[in-house]
Structures are given as structure tokens and as C-alpha cells.
Amino acid sequence: MSEDDTFEGLAATITEGYHAVQEATCLEDVYDLLDYLGDEVKHYYPHIACKVNCPVCCKGMHQPMITAAEFELILFYLTELPDVIQDEVVRRARYYVSMYRDALILQHNLVNNPDKYAGQDLGGLYKTLTQSFRETSCPFLVVDRCGIYPVRPAKCRMQGNSLAKVGDDVRFNSCLPEISSMDQYLREKGSRRLTMPLWNVFEQVVTLFNPKESMVATLPVWLITHVVGDKLTDEVNPNPSVNL
Ligand code: SF4
Ligand code: SF4
């Protein structure tokens, strides 16, 4: 049996996953499927180092842009938590937005209104963002652990165990140390073939659960636009006390 044959089981599981996700009736179904596929991938690639308290991909520019439907689940989860934790979430959101306001606006517009930057040096703008966010962490990262693990977004679930198509390139969707460790593994194996689910397929399905035309945004932006007074609310506050 060749090396590649041993991955046929995983390839078949992923194909089934592509079919199953089209039948998903709620985001939770998608999340369950992603967790299952992530475990399968790690079973076939046991050297992948992702674990619960591994936070590099929760920092800097790695932090996810998420949809309204995903934030709704997070908000529901948060509002069930004790007041003291909600207060801390509000405090973190305010701090984040006051520190990184300009970078957040640029990032938000680049993703939601890219036409505005037609003809500009996009590579340069993304470099600026990477630099601006280099010291940041997701507001939900608590002592190197995800504070909203049961409702973490789809992107977080697929980090480290999926591929992502960007333009014409298909890349391993992971942090730099893992990309280089995978590169070494493939070199030793003598094959460049990587059998992993493609994030873009699941991203499309996640988007389908959203109201039409709704934005995607980073967690600090979602949070700050759902604070009224000092409390989290399920209504959108268009004039948060730290203006965006
Ligand atoms: S992708 Fe990298 S930083 Fe993220 S969990 Fe996996 S090993 Fe850790
Ligand atoms: S939601 Fe959790 S897993 Fe995702 S970036 Fe934030 S802390 Fe990390």
C-alpha cells in the first residue's frame, strides 16, 4: 500500500463532510461536523500540535472575521455567564477598540467594502494591519485558553486542520510553526499531497445562515456594537461609547 493510499479513508470522510454540510440546518450542525473532521485530520496527521491552550492563532492578524449568525451564538453564550465575566468582556472590548480603532476601521472596510481601495497597494495595506495588530489578542483569550470554546467560530475550529483557497493558491490553514513542521513532514514523506477539508466550502455554508447583506467583522467590532451602557445587549448599538 502506498503512503497516499493510507489517506483514502480520510479523503472519503472529507467528501462525506462536504455532502453533510450542505444538509446542515443550523450552525451547531456545522460546528459539530467541523470538530469531527478536525479530529479525523489530527488522527491521520498526529504530529499536528494544535491543542486547547495553544494560542498563537488567537493573536495578531490570525483572529477570525465572523458572521452575524456566529456572533449571535456567542452573544447568547455570554449573556448566560455571571455579570462579573460580562463586565470583563465589555472592558476588554472597549480597551481593544480604543487602542486599535484606526486599524479596525481599515480592516473592516477592506473586508466589507474592498471597492473603496481599488487601485491602492493592497499588499501594503495588509502589511500595515499586520504591524498594527501585532501585539493584539482575541478578547476571549484568557490565560492562553479560549474563553468561549463551546461556541468558538467556525474559522477557529478549522485552524490547523484545513486548507484554504486564496486566489489561485491552496494553502495549509495554520500558524507559521505548524506550516513549517508540515512542510518538513511532507518533504520526509516525499509527497506534497495534503488531505484536508477545504475551509472555503464550509465558509460558504456558514455565510448562508446569515441575513442577506450582513457584514462580517472581528470579535471586538461585534462586541462593541452590542454594548449599551456597560452591558451586553442583543440589540445593535450604532453609537457605542467608544466610537467606531
Ligand atoms: S494552528 Fe498553531 S497556534 Fe493554532 S492551535 Fe494549532 S498549533 Fe496552536
Ligand atoms: S474565539 Fe477563542 S479560539 Fe477563536 S480566536 Fe478567540 S480565543 Fe482563539
Side-chain angles (χ1 to χ4, degrees):
M1 194 188 283
S2 79
E3 273 282 348
D4 281 347
D5 288 342
T6 60
F7 283 86
E8 275 180 13
L10 178 57
T13 303
I14 293 169
T15 304
E16 279 168 29
Y18 289 155
H19 290 302
V21 77
Q22 307 301 330
E23 306 294 320
T25 56
C26 60
L27 262 182
E28 288 94 328
D29 285 352
V30 180
Y31 287 176
D32 287 347
L33 187 57
L34 294 184
D35 290 347
Y36 170 70
L37 288 176
D39 287 346
E40 285 294 297
V41 167
K42 284 180 205 126
H43 173 74
Y44 280 84
Y45 296 97
H47 60 89
I48 290 178
C50 300
K51 51 191 180 305
V52 172
N53 54 346
C54 186
V56 179
C57 54
C58 308
K59 296 183 176 175
M61 277 289 281
H62 290 289
Q63 295 177 56
M65 305 286 293
I66 72 163
T67 64
E70 292 199 280
F71 184 68
E72 203 177 315
L73 285 185
I74 293 171
L75 191 61
F76 182 75
Y77 181 82
L78 290 175
T79 50
E80 299 286 300
L81 295 175
D83 283 354
V84 65
I85 297 181
Q86 293 188 44
D87 292 348
E88 172 63 10
V89 169
V90 170
R91 190 197 65 75
R92 284 179 176 217
R94 287 207 165 118
Y95 171 78
Y96 200 112
V97 174
S98 63
M99 290 293 287
Y100 303 104
R101 183 180 179 277
D102 292 347
L104 281 169
I105 291 172
L106 173 60
Q107 183 186 39
H108 192 78
N109 287 337
L110 275 169
V111 172
N112 288 285
N113 197 4
D115 292 350
K116 205 172 159 180
Y117 299 92
Q120 293 193 38
D121 172 17
L122 288 184
L125 291 173
Y126 275 103
K127 219 179 248 175
T128 305
L129 281 182
T130 307
Q131 189 69 8
S132 307
F133 286 128
R134 106 183 157 273
E135 303 293 337
T136 61
S137 296
C138 174
F140 292 117
L141 194 64
V142 184
V143 203
D144 283 354
R145 279 179 173 256
C146 176
I148 54 164
Y149 197 75
V151 289
R152 69 200 187 288
K155 188 93 192 334
C156 305
R157 291 168 200 261
M158 291 205 85
Q159 185 76 8
N161 52 47
S162 63
L163 303 173
K165 192 165 190 297
V166 182
D168 291 333
D169 285 346
V170 176
R171 301 175 191 159
F172 178 32
N173 189 16
S174 197
C175 61
L176 282 178
E178 279 298 291
I179 291 171
S180 96
S181 142
M182 185 61 84
D183 202 46
Q184 185 177 341
Y185 164 82
L186 292 175
R187 245 181 289 126
E188 284 165 8
K189 209 177 119 195
S191 160
R192 298 303 298 170
R193 179 177 162 181
L194 209 45
T195 306
M196 289 188 180
L198 188 65
W199 156 244
N200 310 63
V201 173
F202 298 92
E203 184 180 30
Q204 275 177 6
V205 175
V206 169
T207 306
L208 291 178
F209 288 106
N210 279 279
K212 265 198 165 34
E213 314 286 329
S214 70
M215 65 179 190
V216 292
T218 53
L219 286 161
V221 172
W222 281 117
L223 282 170
I224 204 69
T225 50
H226 286 78
V227 174
V228 171
D230 287 330
K231 294 287 167 208
L232 287 167
T233 163
D234 55 7
E235 284 161 32
V236 176
N237 179 0
N239 297 304
S241 64
V242 178
N243 289 324
L244 195 66

